[in-house]
Amino acid sequence: MTDAPRHKEWDSFSRDLARAWIDHRCLPVPAHGPTSIADAYQLQEAILTHLKEPIGAWKAGVDPEGAVWGSPLPCTALKTARSHWSTPARIVRGLEVELAFRLSPQVLEEEKLLPEETFFREGILEMACAIEVVSSRFLDWPHIPEFWKLADLQNHGALFLGESAPYDPDFPYLTPRVSLLVEGHEQAKFPASNPAGDPRALLQPFLRQCRDRGLPIEPHHWVTTGSYSGVYFLKDSGHIQATLEGLDPLTALLLSSP
């Protein structure tokens, strides 16, 4: 793992963020915050330590300048198809249809990066449709500094995973057909696209980052890779169905608690 947070108040605040995660609360943004990806990663790890949870999955994406960054996801945030997630209605709940991957054990053990063509052919074991629920532990989100968003587990709330399928190198990764039905109404943007272009291109650089920070991706871990559908913010309870170009549909129920 990376070094402990450099500011004492960050250690205290990471404990507060972990408590806010558990209690579904939002906090003011501190006056002093992370100023780099390394700082934000330190805070992510401190939050997980305070949660006392193992890593259940990962999310990878691109920062505003196009570089790769991401976050470990607590195991309790990982949901199966047809399950539910309940939060107070005041909490941000943005829905995104994403593509998640499980990497091959050989790639996870490989020290060097493979040529992209080889990785696309041999490096991925399985894929699945996913719904990520975007959320935040901060008041005034999204109008907060980007590194605080990254530190807050990259705006993560929950990850619903559909049935896995064998990896298909011929899947239309740039422009798949995508649907996001909320109470039967289509909410996906058209045409579908991913901020990274082909999301497979995120995987090797992100794998290297995880190794460098001492948190290697495990064979059972899934990595979700950014939204194809845009984001739809749910205000109330709702039945959700996501489909992604021939993969098994994924259904979920989001509930609004008092």
Side-chain angles (χ1 to χ4, degrees):
M1 296 177 72
T2 48
D3 296 334
R6 291 181 301 181
H7 299 283
K8 289 182 180 178
E9 64 265 31
W10 290 4
D11 184 56
S12 171
F13 195 71
S14 63
R15 187 179 295 107
D16 293 341
L17 278 173
R19 190 73 247 171
W21 171 282
I22 294 167
D23 295 340
H24 300 297
R25 291 186 298 108
C26 291
L27 305 172
V29 176
H32 303 288
T35 58
S36 67
I37 290 179
D39 288 348
Y41 281 178
Q42 290 173 13
L43 282 158
Q44 288 178 358
E45 293 163 20
I47 291 167
L48 286 175
T49 297
H50 293 308
L51 286 173
K52 297 182 172 64
E53 287 194 34
I55 295 169
W58 298 82
K59 64 179 292 186
V62 291
D63 70 14
E65 280 71 49
V68 175
W69 64 8
S71 177
L73 309 181
C75 64
T76 55
L78 190 59
K79 311 292 182 183
T80 58
R82 296 176 293 279
S83 60
H84 72 275
W85 190 56
S86 179
T87 63
R90 67 180 181 274
I91 296 297
V92 171
R93 294 176 299 171
L95 307 177
E96 298 180 342
V97 181
E98 305 192 356
L99 190 54
F101 299 97
R102 198 161 68 85
L103 302 182
S104 71
Q106 292 81 3
V107 162
L108 295 175
E109 294 169 3
E110 179 63 52
E111 289 296 325
K112 297 179 181 178
L113 295 183
L114 298 175
E116 189 171 85
E117 211 171 281
T118 304
F119 176 77
F120 285 177
R121 189 174 61 251
E122 303 172 3
I124 304 170
L125 195 63
E126 292 182 304
M127 53 199 289
C129 178
I131 299 171
E132 192 198 5
V133 185
V134 173
S135 194
S136 178
R137 271 54 63 184
F138 285 116
L139 299 170
D140 299 323
W141 186 93
H143 306 296
I144 65 173
E146 290 296 324
F147 287 126
W148 268 126
K149 295 178 186 178
L150 180 61
D152 186 26
L153 306 185
Q154 205 177 10
N155 306 315
H156 181 66
L159 181 67
F160 291 86
L161 271 177
E163 294 295 325
S164 63
Y167 169 64
D168 180 3
D170 297 320
F171 184 89
Y173 291 99
L174 294 178
T175 54
R177 290 174 296 155
V178 176
S179 175
L180 174 62
L181 295 177
V182 181
E183 290 295 311
H185 299 285
E186 183 62 68
Q187 303 296 346
K189 71 177 184 181
F190 181 84
S193 62
N194 186 291
D198 186 335
R200 295 176 298 174
L202 298 169
L203 295 172
Q204 281 206 104
F206 187 61
L207 174 60
R208 173 60 61 84
Q209 281 189 14
C210 294
R211 283 180 182 154
D212 289 347
R213 63 193 288 196
L215 295 174
I217 296 173
E218 301 289 344
H220 64 281
H221 285 162
W222 287 84
V223 184
T224 192
T225 54
S227 180
Y228 277 109
S229 62
V231 59
Y232 173 76
F233 290 98
L234 187 69
K235 301 297 184 184
D236 219 327
S237 298
H239 288 86
I240 318 299
Q241 182 179 62
T243 55
L244 187 56
E245 188 71 44
L247 296 173
D248 281 354
L250 169 59
T251 60
L253 175 62
L254 266 68
L255 299 172
S256 294
S257 59

